[in-house]
Amino acid sequence: MADGTVLVAVAVAVAERPEDGSATAGQMARIAEALRARGLRVRWAVRATDAEAVLRTEAGVAAAVVA
């Protein structure tokens, strides 16, 4: 099992979250589930400023997925 957090930053015209039901949101939710299945924690950010804050403050970020 892996240790760490994966930051998922989704910056699109309309910020999407996994529960939004769109095709993009569904794909991001499937990616997040696959990461969780491997023991990683997933953090969502829908604004660049939020993503930057997570990267500055969380030492455990193992990777970032930007869409």
Side-chain angles (χ1 to χ4, degrees):
M1 259 218 216
D3 264 342
T5 299
V6 174
L7 171 64
V8 178
V10 182
V12 293
V14 176
E16 301 206 31
R17 296 180 184 274
E19 63 273 6
D20 288 344
S22 71
T24 300
Q27 183 63 28
M28 297 307 290
R30 287 188 291 280
I31 291 169
E33 282 307 311
L35 292 168
R36 286 186 191 103
R38 288 170 175 73
L40 294 163
R41 197 172 124 227
V42 176
R43 291 281 309 266
W44 287 94
V46 294
R47 291 190 308 253
T49 54
D50 294 339
E52 290 169 354
V54 171
L55 291 172
R56 277 194 310 272
T57 60
E58 287 206 25
V61 174
V65 176
V66 180

